[in-house]
Amino acid sequence: MSRAAEPETPVERPGAYRSRFTGALESLLAEKRFPKITIGDLVGRAHTSRRGFYEHFDSKEACLLALLNEAAESGCAQISAAVDRTAPWQTQVRQLVTAWIGVVDARPAVMLSYLRDVPLLDAPISAGLNHDAYVNVVRAISGGEEFQESGGAPLSRVRALVLLGGLGKLAEDALQHGEAASTHLEEAVRAALLLAAS
């Protein structure tokens, strides 16, 4: 008589174990500032061990960089997908800003950590962060044929930095006052339109 097949042990997808730590860190950042978070906090929240943590990260700073880079990649994809490249440039700018603010409001702890904690990291550590991720998306959108043909100006790197720096400060101010960044959406769109006007 043949034995019944034993149930297969679920196999975690590649990176899933690593993402448990970045997810734990994001959860902890909603409760306290990064400098106060310990490796013990991370492994406790991730329900795993220190050994498991150090198999994936050299330090909590490395874990933070992984979280921020993942968030930037995901956020950029959302923004890029939200913009209709065939629409008039003003519509594209509105969609871009709306999507960026939506990314911030969906993960406020990540944005605040980027704004407050990254400047405190040693330069060799922060060098591993893709600081230009959103800049590149903004420039790609404003550099599109339809954007320019409908009267919009392609944003230089400097203008893109000014736009995103302003949006970042706006988001930081709103989040620190317990507001959603979307509270200031219309003002943000107006400022972005001025920067993108030819």
Side-chain angles (χ1 to χ4, degrees), residues 70-170:
E70 175 276 318
E73 182 179 351
S74 171
C76 286
Q78 291 176 55
I79 292 168
S80 188
V83 177
D84 176 4
R85 307 298 178 91
T86 66
W89 72 271
Q90 297 94 334
T91 302
Q92 292 189 51
V93 168
R94 174 173 288 278
Q95 291 170 338
L96 187 158
V97 173
T98 301
W100 188 90
I101 286 178
V103 167
V104 171
D105 282 344
R107 304 177 78 174
V110 172
M111 175 54 68
L112 280 177
S113 183
Y114 176 77
L115 295 169
R116 300 186 304 195
D117 300 323
V118 170
L120 304 178
L121 299 177
D122 291 338
I125 297 173
S126 63
L129 188 61
N130 184 2
H131 294 281
D132 278 351
Y134 289 111
V135 170
N136 293 337
V137 168
V138 168
R139 296 196 67 198
I141 291 169
S142 69
E145 187 175 318
E146 291 86 356
F147 190 94
Q148 295 178 55
E149 286 183 351
S150 62
L155 270 68
S156 65
R157 185 170 187 277
V158 171
R159 279 200 190 190
L161 285 169
V162 170
L163 171 60
L164 291 167
L167 289 175
K169 291 304 293 182
L170 182 68

Side-chain angles (χ1 to χ4, degrees), residues 5-28:
E6 294 183 5
E8 291 185 12
T9 303
V11 178
E12 284 191 307
R13 60 179 172 77
Y17 196 66
R18 179 182 170 93
S19 69
R20 287 170 62 179
F21 294 110
T22 55
L25 178 55
E26 182 169 358
S27 172
L28 287 163

Side-chain angles (χ1 to χ4, degrees), residues 22-100:
T22 55
L25 178 55
E26 182 169 358
S27 172
L28 287 163
L29 285 169
E31 301 168 10
K32 54 185 172 180
R33 294 288 301 272
F34 178 72
K36 294 184 177 296
I37 295 173
T38 66
I39 300 296
D41 292 331
L42 280 166
V43 299
R45 186 64 58 93
H47 304 292
T48 184
S49 65
R50 284 178 180 269
R51 178 181 176 182
F53 178 85
Y54 285 112
E55 285 176 356
H56 295 275
F57 300 106
D58 294 333
S59 63
K60 69 173 188 174
E61 288 79 11
C63 186
L64 176 63
L65 258 61
L67 170 62
L68 294 178
N69 279 328
E70 175 276 318
E73 182 179 351
S74 171
C76 286
Q78 291 176 55
I79 292 168
S80 188
V83 177
D84 176 4
R85 307 298 178 91
T86 66
W89 72 271
Q90 297 94 334
T91 302
Q92 292 189 51
V93 168
R94 174 173 288 278
Q95 291 170 338
L96 187 158
V97 173
T98 301
W100 188 90

